[in-house]
Amino acid sequence: MAGVQTAVALREQGWTGPVTLLGAEPHQPYDRPPLSKAVLLGKAEDSAFEIDFEALRIDLRLGVAVTGLRAGDREVDTEAGPVPYDVLVVATGAEPVTLPGSAGVPGVHLLRTLDDAARLKPVLAEQHDIVVVGAGWIGAEFATAAREAGCAVTVVEAADRPLAGALPAEVAAPMAAWYEQIGVRLLTGSRVEKIEPAEPAAPAEPARPGKPRAAGGPGAVLLADGTRLPAGAVVVGIGARPATAWLAGSGVELGPDGSVTTDARLATSVPAVFAVGDCASFPSARYGERLLVHHWDNALQGPRTLAANILAAPGEDGPVYDPVPYFWSEQFGRFVQYAGHHTDHDTLVWRGDPAEDAWAVVWLRGDVPAAVLSVGRPRDLAQGRKLIEAGTRLDPAKVADPTVALKSAAV
């Protein structure tokens, strides 16, 4: 998304020179959100962007992995040889964190790429018993799709609640009930000790009706407390990290989390090199800290600012990138949206009862909204996002009244 949108934005904003888009995958560039939904369930073959790269004069080179950067020569090294550049945009995204000890075990899956989704489609179609490791956003979305496909699903989470890395306990705890409501078993406070490969079945052993198991798949997931969970497939969703290992020794500054450290205009520490999307962190004056945002909207919005900075006249300052981060998740029959960025020091205000189908939470920094989470209240999200962008002061008492429109809580 970030790389494609940068190329398109350059053309839209008037860049007339050559544009080369390198991609390690062999597929036409595609959108990722449908992978955990329509593509996974066989409702769509792929999610390729409807972009005419030839008409835009974008030189699309697929199946070309970049292996290094030599900034002094203004070249990137690839498996197909060096590629020169005048301006380089790093948009290599993030790669999923793998489960220790799972390497090489058949039937252990990640869900990040089109190929990952293709490997998982038959698993769902055959209705395997599935263990999902990680109750984050991707784990919840996959569990939802697997249940829709008729699979028995157990989700294992090391923390004491779902979405522990994203939301405070009082907000995430009510979401645990969503799993049970659609028949997903959720085990919190549970760590995976190892994944046991399946023992080959005897030739005469009949397959369980409706539960065929792919040959060589995992047999079970063993937890640290001794619990053994039978599994025809294991799906790991325990986070992602910036795909920046190829920049080692390039001079491009990386943060402790591996993200490319950019300035407010998405420029890196190396001249003529920019970075955008999941692989890059940027300073936010709005929030007073550096942000690393692994979400679709960031990969859509950032390229527009980046393109404008590439096209800025010499000596002219281009626009600053300081968005209100936004993302959404479809899970357990609910549409969850979040805008902004909160910390533990912000004041949490509820709008509605989390036991109901629709509710929201607003985080206030002083009397100014910092973030809003909406479950089935899209109007709260839309209004809250605008209030955050404007830095509008709010009356906390009115914010807490779900019958009052959020925009009407302005002081």
PDB file of all heavy atoms in Angstrom, residues 237-257:
ATOM      1  N   GLY A 237      -0.312 -15.148  15.303  1.00  0.00           N
ATOM      2  CA  GLY A 237      -0.520 -13.711  15.137  1.00  0.00           C
ATOM      3  C   GLY A 237      -0.066 -12.989  16.389  1.00  0.00           C
ATOM      4  O   GLY A 237      -0.874 -12.569  17.215  1.00  0.00           O
ATOM      5  N   ILE A 238       1.250 -12.875  16.549  1.00  0.00           N
ATOM      6  CA  ILE A 238       1.799 -12.307  17.797  1.00  0.00           C
ATOM      7  C   ILE A 238       2.557 -11.003  17.539  1.00  0.00           C
ATOM      8  O   ILE A 238       3.414 -10.614  18.316  1.00  0.00           O
ATOM      9  CB  ILE A 238       2.705 -13.322  18.518  1.00  0.00           C
ATOM     10  CG1 ILE A 238       3.815 -13.850  17.593  1.00  0.00           C
ATOM     11  CG2 ILE A 238       1.868 -14.477  19.054  1.00  0.00           C
ATOM     12  CD1 ILE A 238       4.794 -14.776  18.300  1.00  0.00           C
ATOM     13  N   GLY A 239       2.184 -10.329  16.452  1.00  0.00           N
ATOM     14  CA  GLY A 239       2.781  -9.025  16.197  1.00  0.00           C
ATOM     15  C   GLY A 239       3.631  -8.997  14.941  1.00  0.00           C
ATOM     16  O   GLY A 239       3.831 -10.007  14.268  1.00  0.00           O
ATOM     17  N   ALA A 240       4.111  -7.804  14.625  1.00  0.00           N
ATOM     18  CA  ALA A 240       4.950  -7.593  13.443  1.00  0.00           C
ATOM     19  C   ALA A 240       6.034  -6.589  13.774  1.00  0.00           C
ATOM     20  O   ALA A 240       5.898  -5.784  14.706  1.00  0.00           O
ATOM     21  CB  ALA A 240       4.101  -7.093  12.274  1.00  0.00           C
ATOM     22  N   ARG A 241       7.111  -6.647  13.026  1.00  0.00           N
ATOM     23  CA  ARG A 241       8.205  -5.695  13.225  1.00  0.00           C
ATOM     24  C   ARG A 241       8.635  -5.148  11.873  1.00  0.00           C
ATOM     25  O   ARG A 241       8.479  -5.809  10.836  1.00  0.00           O
ATOM     26  CB  ARG A 241       9.375  -6.363  13.935  1.00  0.00           C
ATOM     27  CG  ARG A 241       9.906  -7.584  13.235  1.00  0.00           C
ATOM     28  CD  ARG A 241      10.925  -8.311  14.109  1.00  0.00           C
ATOM     29  NE  ARG A 241      11.182  -9.652  13.616  1.00  0.00           N
ATOM     30  CZ  ARG A 241      11.466 -10.705  14.389  1.00  0.00           C
ATOM     31  NH1 ARG A 241      11.523 -10.553  15.698  1.00  0.00           N
ATOM     32  NH2 ARG A 241      11.688 -11.888  13.872  1.00  0.00           N
ATOM     33  N   PRO A 242       9.172  -3.924  11.845  1.00  0.00           N
ATOM     34  CA  PRO A 242       9.564  -3.314  10.573  1.00  0.00           C
ATOM     35  C   PRO A 242      10.538  -4.195   9.792  1.00  0.00           C
ATOM     36  O   PRO A 242      11.468  -4.769  10.368  1.00  0.00           O
ATOM     37  CB  PRO A 242      10.226  -2.005  11.009  1.00  0.00           C
ATOM     38  CG  PRO A 242       9.580  -1.680  12.325  1.00  0.00           C
ATOM     39  CD  PRO A 242       9.381  -3.013  12.991  1.00  0.00           C
ATOM     40  N   ALA A 243      10.300  -4.300   8.500  1.00  0.00           N
ATOM     41  CA  ALA A 243      11.161  -5.106   7.623  1.00  0.00           C
ATOM     42  C   ALA A 243      12.329  -4.249   7.139  1.00  0.00           C
ATOM     43  O   ALA A 243      12.348  -3.749   6.014  1.00  0.00           O
ATOM     44  CB  ALA A 243      10.348  -5.639   6.450  1.00  0.00           C
ATOM     45  N   THR A 244      13.299  -4.086   8.015  1.00  0.00           N
ATOM     46  CA  THR A 244      14.404  -3.160   7.736  1.00  0.00           C
ATOM     47  C   THR A 244      15.781  -3.781   7.901  1.00  0.00           C
ATOM     48  O   THR A 244      16.787  -3.060   7.842  1.00  0.00           O
ATOM     49  CB  THR A 244      14.310  -1.940   8.678  1.00  0.00           C
ATOM     50  OG1 THR A 244      14.293  -2.403  10.044  1.00  0.00           O
ATOM     51  CG2 THR A 244      13.056  -1.127   8.414  1.00  0.00           C
ATOM     52  N   ALA A 245      15.867  -5.091   8.089  1.00  0.00           N
ATOM     53  CA  ALA A 245      17.169  -5.727   8.288  1.00  0.00           C
ATOM     54  C   ALA A 245      18.099  -5.466   7.112  1.00  0.00           C
ATOM     55  O   ALA A 245      19.326  -5.380   7.283  1.00  0.00           O
ATOM     56  CB  ALA A 245      16.991  -7.223   8.512  1.00  0.00           C
ATOM     57  N   TRP A 246      17.536  -5.300   5.921  1.00  0.00           N
ATOM     58  CA  TRP A 246      18.345  -5.075   4.722  1.00  0.00           C
ATOM     59  C   TRP A 246      19.057  -3.720   4.732  1.00  0.00           C
ATOM     60  O   TRP A 246      19.963  -3.495   3.928  1.00  0.00           O
ATOM     61  CB  TRP A 246      17.462  -5.198   3.477  1.00  0.00           C
ATOM     62  CG  TRP A 246      16.396  -4.145   3.379  1.00  0.00           C
ATOM     63  CD1 TRP A 246      15.196  -4.138   4.008  1.00  0.00           C
ATOM     64  CD2 TRP A 246      16.448  -2.939   2.608  1.00  0.00           C
ATOM     65  NE1 TRP A 246      14.478  -3.009   3.689  1.00  0.00           N
ATOM     66  CE2 TRP A 246      15.233  -2.257   2.828  1.00  0.00           C
ATOM     67  CE3 TRP A 246      17.396  -2.374   1.751  1.00  0.00           C
ATOM     68  CZ2 TRP A 246      14.939  -1.034   2.221  1.00  0.00           C
ATOM     69  CZ3 TRP A 246      17.112  -1.153   1.144  1.00  0.00           C
ATOM     70  CH2 TRP A 246      15.896  -0.497   1.383  1.00  0.00           C
ATOM     71  N   LEU A 247      18.686  -2.841   5.643  1.00  0.00           N
ATOM     72  CA  LEU A 247      19.320  -1.519   5.731  1.00  0.00           C
ATOM     73  C   LEU A 247      20.545  -1.505   6.641  1.00  0.00           C
ATOM     74  O   LEU A 247      21.168  -0.458   6.821  1.00  0.00           O
ATOM     75  CB  LEU A 247      18.296  -0.494   6.235  1.00  0.00           C
ATOM     76  CG  LEU A 247      17.203  -0.106   5.234  1.00  0.00           C
ATOM     77  CD1 LEU A 247      16.094   0.671   5.918  1.00  0.00           C
ATOM     78  CD2 LEU A 247      17.800   0.699   4.081  1.00  0.00           C
ATOM     79  N   ALA A 248      20.896  -2.635   7.212  1.00  0.00           N
ATOM     80  CA  ALA A 248      22.068  -2.698   8.100  1.00  0.00           C
ATOM     81  C   ALA A 248      23.314  -2.203   7.358  1.00  0.00           C
ATOM     82  O   ALA A 248      23.590  -2.615   6.230  1.00  0.00           O
ATOM     83  CB  ALA A 248      22.279  -4.129   8.580  1.00  0.00           C
ATOM     84  N   GLY A 249      24.037  -1.300   8.008  1.00  0.00           N
ATOM     85  CA  GLY A 249      25.273  -0.784   7.425  1.00  0.00           C
ATOM     86  C   GLY A 249      25.080   0.272   6.361  1.00  0.00           C
ATOM     87  O   GLY A 249      26.061   0.751   5.770  1.00  0.00           O
ATOM     88  N   SER A 250      23.838   0.698   6.132  1.00  0.00           N
ATOM     89  CA  SER A 250      23.566   1.671   5.066  1.00  0.00           C
ATOM     90  C   SER A 250      23.746   3.112   5.504  1.00  0.00           C
ATOM     91  O   SER A 250      23.813   4.018   4.677  1.00  0.00           O
ATOM     92  CB  SER A 250      22.133   1.491   4.559  1.00  0.00           C
ATOM     93  OG  SER A 250      21.198   1.858   5.571  1.00  0.00           O
ATOM     94  N   GLY A 251      23.764   3.331   6.829  1.00  0.00           N
ATOM     95  CA  GLY A 251      23.804   4.698   7.334  1.00  0.00           C
ATOM     96  C   GLY A 251      22.441   5.246   7.678  1.00  0.00           C
ATOM     97  O   GLY A 251      22.327   6.311   8.300  1.00  0.00           O
ATOM     98  N   VAL A 252      21.377   4.541   7.276  1.00  0.00           N
ATOM     99  CA  VAL A 252      20.022   4.963   7.622  1.00  0.00           C
ATOM    100  C   VAL A 252      19.775   4.653   9.094  1.00  0.00           C
ATOM    101  O   VAL A 252      19.921   3.515   9.532  1.00  0.00           O
ATOM    102  CB  VAL A 252      18.986   4.239   6.738  1.00  0.00           C
ATOM    103  CG1 VAL A 252      17.562   4.530   7.230  1.00  0.00           C
ATOM    104  CG2 VAL A 252      19.131   4.650   5.283  1.00  0.00           C
ATOM    105  N   GLU A 253      19.399   5.676   9.859  1.00  0.00           N
ATOM    106  CA  GLU A 253      19.188   5.502  11.296  1.00  0.00           C
ATOM    107  C   GLU A 253      17.931   4.682  11.561  1.00  0.00           C
ATOM    108  O   GLU A 253      16.864   4.953  11.005  1.00  0.00           O
ATOM    109  CB  GLU A 253      19.059   6.857  11.980  1.00  0.00           C
ATOM    110  CG  GLU A 253      18.864   6.764  13.498  1.00  0.00           C
ATOM    111  CD  GLU A 253      18.659   8.113  14.161  1.00  0.00           C
ATOM    112  OE1 GLU A 253      18.819   9.149  13.479  1.00  0.00           O
ATOM    113  OE2 GLU A 253      18.321   8.115  15.363  1.00  0.00           O
ATOM    114  N   LEU A 254      18.080   3.682  12.423  1.00  0.00           N
ATOM    115  CA  LEU A 254      16.953   2.851  12.841  1.00  0.00           C
ATOM    116  C   LEU A 254      16.712   3.029  14.332  1.00  0.00           C
ATOM    117  O   LEU A 254      17.654   3.209  15.110  1.00  0.00           O
ATOM    118  CB  LEU A 254      17.227   1.373  12.550  1.00  0.00           C
ATOM    119  CG  LEU A 254      17.534   0.975  11.103  1.00  0.00           C
ATOM    120  CD1 LEU A 254      17.794  -0.523  11.012  1.00  0.00           C
ATOM    121  CD2 LEU A 254      16.401   1.377  10.176  1.00  0.00           C
ATOM    122  N   GLY A 255      15.457   2.943  14.744  1.00  0.00           N
ATOM    123  CA  GLY A 255      15.124   3.040  16.150  1.00  0.00           C
ATOM    124  C   GLY A 255      15.293   1.710  16.853  1.00  0.00           C
ATOM    125  O   GLY A 255      15.556   0.683  16.224  1.00  0.00           O
ATOM    126  N   PRO A 256      15.137   1.675  18.183  1.00  0.00           N
ATOM    127  CA  PRO A 256      15.260   0.428  18.937  1.00  0.00           C
ATOM    128  C   PRO A 256      14.279  -0.641  18.484  1.00  0.00           C
ATOM    129  O   PRO A 256      14.543  -1.837  18.638  1.00  0.00           O
ATOM    130  CB  PRO A 256      14.957   0.866  20.386  1.00  0.00           C
ATOM    131  CG  PRO A 256      15.215   2.335  20.416  1.00  0.00           C
ATOM    132  CD  PRO A 256      14.877   2.839  19.054  1.00  0.00           C
ATOM    133  N   ASP A 257      13.146  -0.224  17.915  1.00  0.00           N
ATOM    134  CA  ASP A 257      12.145  -1.177  17.434  1.00  0.00           C
ATOM    135  C   ASP A 257      12.412  -1.612  15.998  1.00  0.00           C
ATOM    136  O   ASP A 257      11.631  -2.363  15.415  1.00  0.00           O
ATOM    137  CB  ASP A 257      10.737  -0.581  17.534  1.00  0.00           C
ATOM    138  CG  ASP A 257      10.622   0.789  16.849  1.00  0.00           C
ATOM    139  OD1 ASP A 257      11.542   1.169  16.095  1.00  0.00           O
ATOM    140  OD2 ASP A 257       9.602   1.472  17.067  1.00  0.00           O
TER     141      ASP A 257
END
